[in-house]
Amino acid sequence: MNEKESLILQLIKTNPFISQIELAEKTGLSRSAVAGYISSLTKDGKLLGRAYILPNKKDIVAIGGSNVDRKIQSLKTLQYGTSNPAESSQSCGGVARNIAENLGRLGCDVSLMTVVGEDPEGEWLLDYTKSFVDIRPSQKLSDQPTGTYTAILDNEGEMAVALADMSIYDSIDQEFIEKRWGYIAAASMVVMDTNFSDDVLKQVITRCEIENIPLCITPVSSPKVKKLPQNLQGVTWLIANKDEAEALSEIEIKEEGDYFKAAERIHKKGVEKVVITRGDKGLIYYTKEGEAGAILPPKVEVEDVTGAGDSLVSGIMYAYLKGLDTENACKIGIACSILTLRSHETVNPALNDLHLQETFKKYF
Ligand SMILES: Nc1ncnc2c1ncn2[C@@H]1O[C@H](COP(=O)(O)OP(=O)(O)OP(=O)(O)O)[C@@H](O)[C@H]1O
Ligand SMILES: O=c1[nH]cc([C@@H]2O[C@H](CO)[C@@H](O)[C@H]2O)c(=O)[nH]1
């Protein structure tokens, strides 16, 4: 094989969709010369022909946000209206991205459909994430900055207030999803956060229902939960914290029984399995099959709460895909959140399936 042929083969390997015109531009040959090389490579059996490429079958596709998380933790009790001595850190974030990374670390085959800006932050997020996750369905946008999440934490690691600068997600339209539907159709399960527009959320819910693709929705905040449609038929799991569950159910949760009333209201919108989390009081679950219960977490030292909810969702999905029932899937979810609570990062870099199983066995 001569130098030009091996260059053409290399370019085709990197991008099987490359056109003869692009190959000509990249090799400095004329288009007809490229055609000649391709024909001789085909005759020699080095190229097997042109083909449509289908996405690989994946366990999970995560749809939604990828942000840079900036966390500033007060060293002493927070005092409002004055300057508090603090410590800052930065990590990769975004609910969909966090879930995808957690699942990737747990050994699942997962892909991420997100958008970032064409800036150093976007580059960093995708570069870091691609070690655990297939990022091919994601895109960099040249005219928008990467989303950022800035959280002020108190000295105990609990979030006091957070600011979400994520206008980039408003530019995602139904066509973006349509073009990438092949990835969704090839998945055993879809997990979607509520960062994208209400039109996109509705489109994914409706189409997953029609095509019978299990879908888990996890809201990112109480303002953004309101983007969900009234009709949630087709949603398999909805996993929300107390504030998000209140906003979605329009029920104020004051006591134990209210959690189940809120869950029942959300179930009546069409959701099969509802989980409402409640910080150090664990969670409650309520399903169409009539399962209902509360699970308490063990007492743990909290380093930083950021990402606890996302790892809980990841643990539940990991267990659900392995065929566990709702109660045990929720326990795996709690075990996964404990590992995040003990880490300053939004996703614990020490997470793996062995570590998760050991934590589950230790506490449940
Ligand atoms: N202090 C804690 N002690 C033990 N478990 C906790 C604590 N805080 C959170 N968790 C675990 O994490 C899960 C999710 O926490 P929470 O209800 O605060 O959700 P969230 O607001 O979505 O979290 P975040 O936004 O911080 O990721 C809980 O169901 C629980 O299992
Ligand atoms: O509106 C949003 N707020 C916060 C997040 C993300 O939540 C994560 C913590 O649960 C954190 O990584 C942040 O980026 C998001 O994706 N959208």
Side-chain angles (χ1 to χ4, degrees):
M1 197 176 359
N2 69 31
E3 204 183 307
K4 288 288 180 202
E5 283 177 335
S6 83
L7 179 57
I8 289 173
L9 259 193
Q10 197 49 47
L11 289 165
I12 294 174
K13 256 190 209 152
T14 326
N15 174 13
F17 297 105
I18 199 162
S19 66
Q20 291 193 356
I21 293 174
E22 283 174 280
L23 282 170
E25 279 165 10
K26 292 206 154 96
T27 53
L29 294 164
S30 66
R31 202 205 57 80
S32 57
V34 167
Y37 280 116
I38 287 184
S39 143
S40 79
L41 282 166
T42 310
K43 267 194 216 124
D44 294 347
K46 305 254 167 29
L47 280 177
L48 299 178
R50 286 174 71 89
Y52 288 105
I53 296 177
L54 293 171
N56 293 339
K57 188 93 189 137
K58 290 273 170 206
D59 293 336
I60 296 212
V61 176
I63 306 174
S66 253
N67 306 316
V68 171
D69 285 358
R70 295 179 181 138
K71 291 173 262 187
I72 312 183
Q73 181 165 9
S74 177
L75 297 177
K76 300 226 168 89
T77 311
L78 259 183
Q79 291 183 49
Y80 289 86
T82 187
S83 158
N84 294 262
E87 210 168 56
S88 350
S89 63
Q90 181 164 297
S91 60
C92 294
V95 168
R97 197 215 65 85
N98 296 341
I99 295 172
E101 183 187 335
N102 276 311
L103 287 166
R105 287 185 181 278
L106 288 171
C108 297
D109 212 348
V110 50
S111 58
L112 175 65
M113 204 176 280
T114 191
V115 278
V116 294
E118 226 169 62
D119 45 29
E121 289 83 0
E123 188 73 40
W124 175 59
L125 282 171
L126 293 187
D127 208 46
Y128 180 87
T129 308
K130 72 177 185 220
S131 310
F132 320 98
V133 173
D134 178 359
I135 56 160
R136 277 178 301 168
S138 297
Q139 198 182 336
K140 282 189 204 156
L141 300 179
S142 57
D143 52 348
Q144 301 275 349
T146 297
T148 64
Y149 170 77
T150 307
I152 313 282
L153 307 174
D154 67 18
N155 53 326
E156 290 182 342
E158 293 290 336
M159 187 250 282
V161 68
L163 300 168
D165 176 358
M166 305 175 191
S167 52
I168 185 168
Y169 303 134
D170 301 335
S171 53
I172 296 307
D173 56 14
Q174 297 193 356
E175 200 194 332
F176 174 90
I177 300 288
E178 208 59 53
K179 271 194 191 156
R180 293 164 174 75
W181 194 263
Y183 287 99
I184 299 176
S188 306
M189 176 96 212
V190 176
V191 181
M192 177 166 69
D193 71 25
T194 55
N195 277 308
F196 290 171
S197 72
D198 43 5
D199 283 349
V200 168
L201 300 182
K202 192 170 175 186
Q203 172 197 17
V204 174
I205 295 171
T206 312
R207 204 153 161 198
C208 280
E209 190 202 0
I210 294 169
E211 297 182 20
N212 237 330
I213 304 167
L215 169 65
C216 170
I217 291 188
T218 182
V220 296
S221 63
S222 35
K224 288 190 183 173
V225 79
K226 296 191 183 117
K227 290 195 271 182
L228 286 172
Q230 277 304 319
N231 180 359
L232 293 176
Q233 210 70 45
V235 177
T236 319
W237 288 86
L238 192 132
I239 306 175
N241 69 16
K242 175 176 173 270
D243 295 346
E244 294 153 358
E246 283 185 328
L248 192 57
S249 65
E250 292 166 342
I251 288 178
E252 198 185 341
I253 302 176
K254 289 198 199 123
E255 51 191 30
E256 184 82 4
D258 297 336
Y259 279 97
F260 291 94
K261 282 187 198 145
E264 189 186 4
R265 178 79 62 85
I266 296 168
H267 161 64
K268 288 214 167 112
K269 287 173 183 268
V271 178
E272 281 182 31
K273 300 169 199 290
V274 181
V275 173
I276 305 179
T277 66
R278 42 189 195 175
D280 60 0
K281 291 182 200 65
L283 58 81
I284 69 104
Y285 60 90
Y286 181 102
T287 74
K288 147 179 152 189
E289 294 82 18
E291 304 157 292
I295 307 175
L296 277 174
K299 263 216 139 354
V300 284
E301 277 291 309
V302 176
E303 289 290 340
D304 177 342
V305 288
T306 317
D310 305 341
S311 53
L312 179 113
V313 174
S314 315
I316 294 179
M317 288 306 103
Y318 167 81
Y320 178 66
L321 281 176
K322 293 209 180 297
L324 271 72
D325 62 15
T326 306
E327 186 183 343
N328 278 305
C330 288
K331 286 180 177 168
I332 293 273
I334 291 179
C336 199
S337 68
I338 289 169
L339 294 173
T340 296
L341 291 168
R342 289 203 195 122
S343 159
H344 269 294
E345 313 263 343
T346 307
V347 174
N348 186 339
L351 177 68
N352 60 41
D353 50 355
L354 193 69
H355 206 165
L356 178 60
Q357 279 168 34
E358 282 167 4
T359 313
F360 172 73
K361 277 192 202 134
K362 178 168 174 198
Y363 295 113
F364 294 105

